[in-house]
Amino acid sequence: MSSSKEMAKVGRFSKAAADLSSLSTLSRFGDFPEPPKTITTSSDEVILPEFERLKVVGRGSFGIAVLYRRLSDKSLVVLKQVKLSELSTDERAMAMNEVEVFSKLHHPNIISYLGSFLRGDLLLIEMEYAEGGTLAQVITSRAPTDRLPERQILTIVEQITSAVAYLHAQAILHRDLKTANVFLSRRGVAKIGDFGISKIMHTKVDTRTILGTPYYFSPEMCEGRDYDAKSDVWALGCILGEMCCLRKAFSASNLSQLVAKIMAGQYLPPPTGYSTCLRNLLKILLQVNPADRPAASEILQYWIPLVYRNLGPQRGFTYPRQLEEEAAAAMEQLKLKQYTEESTASLPEPLTERSVLYQLHSFGTGVSMKPLPLPATAKITRVATNGAHFVAVTADGAVYTWGDDAKGQLALGTSSGPSDGSVWKHYPTKVESLRAYTVVGASCGDQFTIFWTNTGVVLSCGDNSRGVLGHGDTLNRSKPYVIERLRGFKVIQVTCGIHHVVALTSTGTIFAWGYSRSGALGLGTAVTSISIPTPVSSVAEIETRVSAIFAGGNCTMALMDSGEVYAAGANVKNRLGFGKGASKVYRFRKITQIAKKVVDLSVAEDHSAFILEGGYVITLGDNVYGQRGLGHARCPPESPNLVTGIKSKFIVRVRCTASGTVVYSDDNVVSFWGTRFGVPTDNFTDSLATDTDFRQGSNTAAFTNFLVAVYKSELVLDPIDILALYSSPDQLSKGHYVKIGDIVPLHHSTLILVHTTNPLLSSTEPN
């Protein structure tokens, strides 16, 4: 690019003056020394009887932010005060835009929106107070040589990236990410704020509008081109560079020089004390071409775990003298390694198994498979869902939840949410309230969750209107509480139906609680609702011991050590095998129609499936969707049928959905039969492009029409393979393998849990 053309591009930015100090910013708190608009004393001293005014915590071009104590509960909150009469039409629109965007967001790394109201012409936005100040204040308070530890930098970047990935998943651009808009809690948790100039990406706003703070402008913003979520990623890079250098990543004495540096990608390099992986992360975030920058979700899933993986347990900033000492120590280790290699055979590096949870979409001839953003090195041992909220448990006892949280079922300690109950967590969040326990399992019901630990302790949270939390009351709980009735018993498994729960102890005792008018509790006709775990006597009378339990909609099944199956509950479409004359069974009875030993089973609304010893699958119940695997969708036999289409496979797991059956075999092949739902690959793009109502906003009717128009059903009468995982001989020779750990079918997709010893790619290895 010639110098004249380059200057022409930056000319639009330099008309006001040649010095940066003359620039203003549209952020809540300005980065530049120019004083903000004067706010009158009357506006500053607005009288709010519900609050006690403490101090002004910030001033910006739109107004002031004041710290208050709410008198009703003594909590500290910040009220951003915006005098609408002093704003232009565009500025007033931006202020109202902040309220609109802010009210949609629910994420642990975003400042919480608590409400907004008007007092005269004064708009007040109530939000969470971050006691730790801003990241910009933390940086400026440090001496130039007092570098931030690399682990602290990485933690803050990870938290900011999680929030940005959530915003982008909501189709929202922040457009003013900077250290002054990153707030810190008392415990150092990073939370982004200031959504005054954020943009909902599917609205008709010109993305070429230049807003924000020039230090964090992306190259495409400098050129006046359309920009998207990758501009927020550029700003992330600027924040990372600023934390490393304790100075702006891009700085200059005037605006023209600043823009020229941004256009050339000439950022201030991090000091040599930081790791190569962190430098590579900064480099990829600050790529001049937006297409070369990763998405925020990719940073969260791949790049940040990669830096962590190469980070020592106590990694801080490495000072020059420390570098010399480390170099000397490394030389000694090298000499020792050479000596060892000459005298003994080298041993292979130990392999570590990790897990990836994929979401598989399979419809027609199209297949897509995308990983969920869970920790890249974690070993996931259990995945649970009711179709609306999700739980993943790792081998070290950590718990991650996402999805619907309207009743507190995600155990994140949040409230019941807005009046319409619409609270959705789009990304897995670690459940901090369970840190004191080593959780080994979880099960999900209708807006509630049950957890159990390695010592047999059982905890519950969520909706308790049916007494399903087991505490003897009907109070909802947004944090897990121990079920006291089960103390003293070592619970080894819990399974949830829609409104009932069943727990199995190490001695084979079954406890049941919750609600079922169809006998799913197995406690007899007299008990249809009970809010305290109660022993099931009908199982205790059985001579053989219970090895596993399974719950479906209004039914429960118990698999015995002998391979026999006992069941109680609603025998819809004869899914329990008791004959069409037995519509409800109130005490556990043996399913006599199954003569062979059962090793696994699953039950859905209208049908059930069983794996027999030897890897064969039989089914019971309805066949209107072809879910019995009979090769047709006509009226099925009352007795169990063998699914002949997969009899050549050795099936190890079966899962039933409302309209189909999914299995996987010992050679890592996933098969399906029945009716499935999805988007045909030949009209997916056109459907999205022509449905303007859906792209216009979050209107429920428009979204429903979109689903009806795009999602189709497909009848699969004979089992088909929808996924096959394979390890090459070369991979196996190195001990690198992939294997399926579980399958969790959803309405339009299937979650596939994959275990692997394949190492994560380093930043220098090709994909």
Side-chain angles (χ1 to χ4, degrees):
M1 181 185 297
S2 67
S3 176
S4 60
K5 289 184 179 180
E6 183 175 316
M7 293 309 297
K9 286 186 175 181
V10 304
R12 60 180 297 191
F13 295 98
S14 54
K15 292 179 180 178
D19 193 271
L20 284 176
S21 62
S22 67
L23 297 173
S24 63
T25 175
L26 295 178
S27 64
R28 181 189 298 139
F29 309 118
D31 278 342
F32 299 100
E34 180 193 24
K37 284 184 179 179
T38 302
I39 299 179
T40 63
T41 304
S42 59
S43 296
D44 283 9
E45 300 294 339
V46 59
I47 298 175
L48 300 172
E50 314 96 304
F51 300 91
E52 176 190 355
R53 180 187 172 99
L54 298 178
K55 63 178 179 178
V56 175
V57 294
R59 295 180 181 271
S61 57
F62 281 1
I64 63 171
V66 182
L67 177 64
Y68 285 89
R69 180 180 287 110
R70 192 189 293 122
L71 297 181
S72 60
D73 57 6
K74 306 301 181 185
S75 61
L76 297 178
V77 298
V78 171
L79 290 180
K80 182 176 180 180
Q81 302 177 5
V82 182
K83 196 165 186 180
L84 298 177
S85 61
E86 296 182 354
L87 302 182
S88 67
T89 302
D90 289 342
E91 290 173 332
R92 192 174 305 159
M94 287 183 183
M96 301 311 295
N97 176 72
E98 178 166 17
V99 175
E100 179 189 1
V101 174
F102 214 174
S103 63
K104 298 176 183 291
L105 305 178
H106 306 279
H107 190 278
N109 298 116
I110 293 177
I111 290 290
S112 297
Y113 168 80
L114 305 178
S116 60
F117 53 95
L118 288 169
R119 291 291 168 87
D121 71 337
L122 197 65
L123 170 65
L124 295 110
I125 305 173
E126 185 179 355
M127 63 190 77
E128 173 188 3
Y129 174 53
E131 302 96 323
T134 68
L135 181 58
Q137 292 169 339
V138 171
I139 291 173
T140 56
S141 67
R142 300 181 76 92
T145 56
D146 185 16
R147 305 294 182 185
L148 285 168
E150 183 165 342
R151 188 168 294 276
Q152 181 182 1
I153 291 175
L154 201 56
T155 299
I156 292 175
V157 170
E158 181 178 25
Q159 293 170 349
I160 300 172
T161 305
S162 178
V164 173
Y166 167 79
L167 287 176
H168 293 173
Q170 302 283 321
I172 294 173
L173 296 179
H174 189 283
R175 301 206 295 180
D176 198 19
L177 285 173
K178 58 181 179 179
T179 55
N181 287 342
V182 176
F183 302 87
L184 301 173
S185 71
R186 181 182 300 173
R187 299 180 62 182
V189 176
K191 297 170 180 281
I192 65 174
D194 197 344
F195 295 89
I197 63 172
S198 299
K199 174 186 171 292
I200 301 175
M201 283 185 272
H202 54 242
T203 58
K204 295 180 178 179
V205 176
D206 187 358
T207 54
R208 290 172 294 181
T209 305
I210 301 301
L211 301 169
T213 309
Y215 288 128
Y216 303 85
F217 279 175
S218 64
E220 54 270 30
M221 292 174 72
C222 292
E223 286 189 305
R225 295 187 283 117
D226 282 340
Y227 56 88
D228 54 17
K230 295 298 183 71
S231 280
D232 281 348
V233 172
W234 174 277
L236 274 175
C238 294
I239 292 173
L240 173 58
E242 192 170 339
M243 283 193 288
C244 292
C245 301
L246 303 180
R247 293 169 53 193
K248 296 287 191 293
F250 296 92
S251 60
S253 59
N254 60 66
L255 188 56
S256 297
Q257 290 181 6
L258 175 64
V259 173
K261 284 188 175 182
I262 291 173
M263 294 297 301
Q266 295 177 354
Y267 60 87
L268 190 65
T272 55
Y274 291 116
S275 70
T276 301
C277 282
L278 189 68
R279 292 165 171 274
N280 289 338
L281 174 59
L282 179 60
K283 181 178 180 180
I284 196 169
L285 296 182
L286 295 179
Q287 290 292 305
V288 174
N289 183 0
D292 294 335
R293 297 172 216 147
S297 58
E298 295 171 349
I299 301 167
L300 203 60
Q301 177 196 336
Y302 176 74
W303 290 100
I304 291 177
L306 181 64
V307 183
Y308 270 125
R309 179 187 173 199
N310 291 277
L311 202 61
Q314 302 296 329
R315 180 79 185 204
F317 179 77
T318 307
Y319 292 92
R321 186 171 180 179
Q322 184 181 349
L323 279 173
E324 294 176 4
E325 294 172 353
E326 288 183 356
M331 185 59 70
E332 292 181 7
Q333 290 295 322
L334 178 61
K335 291 179 180 178
L336 179 61
K337 181 175 183 293
Q338 291 173 341
Y339 172 78
T340 304
E341 289 175 346
E342 291 173 357
S343 57
T344 61
S346 60
L347 297 175
E349 294 184 4
L351 297 175
T352 303
E353 189 176 81
R354 59 187 180 88
S355 306
V356 183
L357 184 61
Y358 291 94
Q359 185 169 19
L360 171 69
H361 292 270
S362 176
F363 190 87
T365 58
V367 176
S368 68
M369 191 170 173
K370 295 182 179 180
L372 274 65
L374 288 157
T377 58
K379 172 69 181 297
I380 300 171
T381 56
R382 187 177 294 267
V383 178
T385 181
N386 74 330
H389 74 282
F390 304 81
V391 182
V393 180
T394 65
D396 60 0
V399 177
Y400 296 82
T401 60
W402 66 101
D404 179 30
D405 194 32
K407 300 295 183 180
Q409 60 264 43
L410 298 187
L412 301 176
T414 53
S415 64
S416 296
S419 58
D420 63 355
S422 58
V423 178
W424 189 274
K425 308 295 183 183
H426 288 264
Y427 286 86
T429 301
K430 189 173 183 179
V431 178
E432 296 296 334
S433 57
L434 290 170
R435 291 183 68 179
Y437 301 92
T438 301
V439 177
V440 296
S443 186
C444 302
D446 183 19
Q447 294 191 307
F448 69 93
T449 309
I450 311 292
F451 306 91
W452 66 97
T453 73
N454 61 336
T455 58
V457 175
V458 182
L459 306 96
S460 60
C461 64
D463 181 26
N464 196 29
S465 58
R466 301 283 189 171
V468 291
L469 300 190
H471 300 297
D473 57 34
T474 56
L475 299 175
N476 294 351
R477 291 164 173 82
S478 60
K479 288 185 179 181
Y481 284 82
V482 174
I483 300 179
E484 295 295 335
R485 176 66 178 86
L486 293 175
R487 282 193 185 273
F489 298 92
K490 185 174 182 180
V491 174
I492 59 174
Q493 187 195 353
V494 178
T495 183
C496 299
I498 299 174
H499 298 303
H500 79 286
V501 186
V502 183
L504 175 64
T505 71
S506 58
T507 59
T509 302
I510 290 181
F511 288 83
W513 65 97
Y515 172 83
S516 174
R517 297 180 62 184
S518 303
L521 298 175
L523 298 172
T525 57
V527 182
T528 60
S529 179
I530 189 165
S531 59
I532 296 178
T534 303
V536 180
S537 59
S538 58
V539 175
E541 297 166 0
I542 303 172
E543 293 183 2
T544 184
R545 181 168 165 160
V546 181
S547 62
I549 50 178
F550 305 82
N554 281 320
C555 73
T556 306
M557 291 187 176
L559 179 61
M560 319 306 286
D561 282 343
S562 62
E564 299 171 313
V565 179
Y566 286 72
N571 188 32
V572 180
K573 305 293 183 179
N574 194 40
R575 61 177 176 169
L576 304 185
F578 295 133
K580 294 182 179 178
S583 61
K584 298 177 182 178
V585 178
Y586 289 92
R587 298 176 68 84
F588 279 86
R589 283 172 48 184
K590 181 180 176 180
I591 303 178
T592 57
Q593 288 189 345
I594 303 177
K596 302 291 185 179
K597 183 177 181 179
V598 175
V599 295
D600 189 32
L601 64 92
S602 180
V603 57
E605 286 84 343
D606 298 323
H607 82 290
S608 56
F610 306 81
I611 300 179
L612 305 180
E613 193 173 39
Y616 301 100
V617 176
I618 60 173
T619 59
L620 278 168
D622 198 15
N623 190 45
V624 67
Y625 296 109
Q627 65 265 48
R628 288 280 297 269
L630 292 165
H632 61 76
R634 299 186 298 274
C635 184
E638 189 169 295
S639 59
N641 66 277
L642 176 69
V643 182
T644 58
I646 53 170
K647 66 180 182 180
S648 62
K649 293 181 169 67
F650 190 99
I651 304 301
V652 295
R653 185 63 54 87
V654 61
R655 291 289 181 264
C656 296
T657 71
S659 59
T661 308
V662 185
V663 299
Y664 75 86
S665 60
D666 62 344
D667 58 350
N668 293 312
V669 176
V670 180
S671 305
F672 171 84
W673 62 91
T675 300
R676 60 181 178 176
F677 302 86
V679 180
T681 55
D682 56 352
N683 69 357
F684 177 68
T685 304
D686 293 338
S687 299
L688 285 179
T690 58
D691 197 327
T692 55
D693 289 337
F694 173 69
R695 293 184 288 117
Q696 287 291 324
S698 58
N699 180 276
T700 302
F703 183 66
T704 302
N705 293 335
F706 166 78
L707 290 179
V708 171
V710 175
Y711 279 94
K712 306 297 181 182
S713 63
E714 179 183 29
L715 179 62
V716 180
L717 294 177
D718 295 311
I720 60 171
D721 296 341
I722 59 176
L723 177 70
L725 299 184
Y726 171 77
S727 299
S728 69
D730 180 63
Q731 289 175 313
L732 292 174
S733 68
K734 299 175 182 177
H736 298 163
Y737 61 79
V738 290
K739 63 180 181 180
I740 298 176
D742 202 0
I743 49 175
V744 183
L746 306 174
H747 188 57
H748 296 103
S749 61
T750 303
L751 299 182
I752 309 289
L753 179 61
V754 176
H755 302 311
T756 181
T757 54
N758 287 330
L760 289 168
L761 290 176
S762 70
S763 59
T764 58
E765 292 177 25
N767 290 328

